[in-house]
Amino acid sequence: TTAYSYSRLSRLFKQHMGVTIVDYLNQKKMVYAKRLLRSTHLSTLQIAEQIGYNSLSSFNHLFKKAYGVTPSEYRKKAKND
């Protein structure tokens, strides 16, 4: 727990980090997802679930927004590199 309210903590976080807490966590999840796509044979759905997404379409959308390709496209490209 913290002495700050959620809204105060959110404002402080954004001031110091330059992004919201949610955006920061999503960025960290996407970095981890990239590592899993490169280094495991887990399905995209399994990776989505492992990093906390209940919806494969949400995961695919956020991944593509972050990297410009779908998780499947990223995995295929990573294997060819």
Side-chain angles (χ1 to χ4, degrees):
T1 63
T2 177
Y4 297 115
S5 68
Y6 178 77
S7 60
R8 174 80 173 130
L9 184 61
S10 293
R11 280 193 304 275
L12 288 171
F13 189 92
K14 185 163 184 174
Q15 261 182 335
H16 293 285
M17 299 299 290
V19 295
T20 66
I21 293 171
V22 171
D23 287 343
Y24 179 83
L25 292 174
N26 282 334
Q27 289 171 5
K28 294 297 180 186
K29 287 178 179 184
M30 292 299 118
V31 168
Y32 185 52
K34 278 178 36 176
R35 185 167 21 145
L36 292 174
L37 287 164
R38 283 192 315 268
S39 64
T40 72
H41 295 291
L42 294 172
S43 71
T44 306
L45 177 59
Q46 289 171 315
I47 292 171
E49 290 173 343
Q50 186 168 337
I51 64 172
Y53 292 100
N54 295 324
S55 164
L56 181 58
S57 63
S58 292
F59 171 64
N60 285 335
H61 174 76
L62 289 170
F63 192 94
K64 187 165 186 171
K65 183 178 174 186
Y67 301 113
V69 294
T70 66
S72 298
E73 292 168 338
Y74 178 82
R75 177 175 265 164
K76 183 187 283 188
K77 185 177 183 293
K79 286 183 180 179
N80 292 331
D81 287 346

